[in-house]
Amino acid sequence: MNPILIESLAAVIVDLPTIRPHKLAMHTMQNQTLVILRLRCSDGIEGIGEATTIGGLAYGNESPESIKANIDAHLAPALAGLDACNINAAMQTLDKIAKGNTFAKSGIESALLDAQGKRLGLPVSELLGGRVRDSLEVAWTLASGDTARDIAEAEQMLEARRHRIFKLKIGANPLEQDLAHALAIKRALGDRASVRVDVNQYWDESQAIRGCRVLGDNGIDLIEQPISRVNRAGQVRLNQRSPAPVMADESIESVEDAFSLAADGAASVFALKIAKNGGPRAVLRTAQIAEACGIALYGGTMLEGSVGTLASAHAFLTLRQLTWGTELFGPLLLTEDIVTEAPQYRDFHLHIPRTPGLGLTLDEARLARFRRA
């Protein structure tokens, strides 16, 4: 029997409009840029993947442009001619020729899994060990920066039964202003919703000591990455002192980071992101480390479009427990999509079908329309 080989891998940059500006501590997104990957195999099957960053180089070490350049010049040529069915060997080959590049590798691993799922007639979740649920509760990020507007937006989401978990992006404003903003939203929503904050590393330790205490004592459920990822000792101290759980996000840029954080006791919750670990299979290794250490899990996002969101979702479906839910709302932030059928959100959850692969088909006309020239 002839082996099924990888014939080519193409990376396409797509710029999609969003429903509103999305304000983070380090950057305000006016649209979202995706890198869509198309992996063609000798049996005629195409696997699709996605590599997406938040704010490009303002957030991390990879940008859409660098992802495409490194795939075109290094990663795609290394894959050509390899066994398309042996995902493990293919990803090990990439790890040997390129350090880091986890966003690019995540998109490639997703495409390999999508192709294999289509080939075998199985959803990606079954290739990853088997789903234990069919849907995931999804948080919504309130990131307009305006308190009244954020409260109104949250009320709309609750009324529509779309979200009852809300994360606030803070850190760009003075500490007292951010605290007042978060507590006003919590007071308005009360026990009807969970309210969390994401500081994106923008506090120093002295600010974080006060911020975590005030927020935790006033009903904020979770505090994400309050200080710099490089201040490991400070993270340990905060995790011991904060009345609200502290979640590591930017601190986890690899599976090895997850192990080190767990060993040091630097966080009580881990944000899982396939892009920062190198793919759906890689993020499950981080989850296993956390579970072994009694660290709770949260399904994070890089605000991917439908392809990247479903790749994350298939991995998260297999986890024994997601104590803090997920934030796989990326497609809902977009006014246009490049797939024929949008992911289904209802009753506070994202529902994932049992169709082969990721369960998505690219819309060629929209892809051509939004493709960057």
Side-chain angles (χ1 to χ4, degrees), residues 124-125 128 130-138 270-275 277 279-284 286-287 291 297-302 304 308-322 325-328 350 352:
V124 165
S125 57
L128 297 174
R131 65 176 67 189
V132 295
R133 58 183 67 83
D134 287 318
S135 66
L136 299 162
E137 183 149 13
V138 177
F270 279 1
L272 302 174
K273 295 184 176 179
I274 64 171
N277 286 260
R281 293 162 63 252
V283 86
L284 293 181
T286 287
E291 288 178 338
L297 298 174
Y298 178 66
T301 182
M302 294 303 295
E304 291 99 339
T309 295
L310 266 290
S312 297
H314 277 280
F316 299 159
L317 290 178
T318 70
L319 294 172
R320 180 180 61 83
Q321 187 171 356
L322 275 167
T326 77
E327 58 175 300
L328 297 180
L350 167 63
I352 297 90

Side-chain angles (χ1 to χ4, degrees), residues 36-280:
I36 299 298
L37 307 184
R38 310 187 73 165
L39 182 93
R40 299 187 185 277
C41 305
S42 61
D43 59 353
I45 289 177
E46 179 184 71
I48 58 174
E50 178 188 334
T52 294
T53 69
I54 298 177
L57 294 177
Y59 181 90
N61 297 324
E62 293 175 75
S63 68
E65 296 78 14
S66 73
I67 290 168
K68 175 173 169 53
N70 285 334
I71 287 174
D72 289 349
H74 304 286
L75 305 182
L79 288 172
L82 296 185
D83 185 348
C85 300
N86 193 336
I87 299 169
N88 194 45
M91 296 309 297
Q92 285 190 25
T93 296
L94 297 185
D95 286 339
K96 288 178 182 177
I97 69 160
K99 303 301 181 186
N101 286 275
T102 58
F103 286 73
K105 290 174 182 176
S106 177
I108 293 170
E109 184 173 279
S110 299
L112 287 162
L113 286 164
D114 182 49
Q116 185 71 345
K118 291 172 179 174
R119 189 172 292 120
L120 299 177
L122 294 172
V124 165
S125 57
E126 305 314 295
L127 302 181
L128 297 174
R131 65 176 67 189
V132 295
R133 58 183 67 83
D134 287 318
S135 66
L136 299 162
E137 183 149 13
V138 177
W140 179 253
T141 294
L142 300 171
S144 74
D146 180 90
T147 303
R149 182 176 176 181
D150 281 352
I151 292 171
E153 190 173 296
E155 293 286 4
Q156 292 172 358
M157 298 299 178
L158 287 168
E159 178 66 24
R161 293 183 58 81
R162 210 178 78 176
H163 305 280
R164 58 189 174 190
I165 302 170
F166 299 101
K167 187 167 82 170
L168 315 179
K169 290 289 188 178
I170 63 173
N173 299 313
L175 175 64
E176 297 304 322
Q177 181 179 337
D178 273 343
L179 295 179
H181 171 70
L183 297 187
I185 293 173
K186 178 57 185 175
R187 283 194 299 270
L189 300 181
D191 293 335
R192 294 175 297 150
S194 172
V195 178
R196 299 102 180 258
V197 300
D198 183 4
V199 191
N200 287 126
Q201 308 182 84
Y202 260 64
W203 287 343
D204 61 34
E205 190 175 344
S206 66
Q207 292 173 306
I209 290 170
R210 170 167 168 73
C212 289
R213 178 176 58 80
V214 170
L215 294 172
D217 287 345
N218 287 276
I220 299 302
D221 293 331
L222 185 66
I223 301 170
E224 182 174 346
Q225 199 68 49
I227 63 174
S228 170
R229 67 179 301 275
V230 302
N231 185 0
R232 178 63 61 82
Q235 291 176 78
V236 173
R237 288 189 289 268
L238 279 178
N239 192 44
Q240 293 171 341
R241 298 178 64 172
S242 176
V246 174
M247 180 163 71
D249 177 18
E250 284 91 346
S251 292
I252 306 174
E253 293 191 345
S254 66
V255 177
E256 291 79 8
D257 282 341
F259 180 84
S260 178
L261 285 163
D264 289 346
S268 55
V269 185
F270 279 1
L272 302 174
K273 295 184 176 179
I274 64 171
K276 298 201 319 183
N277 286 260

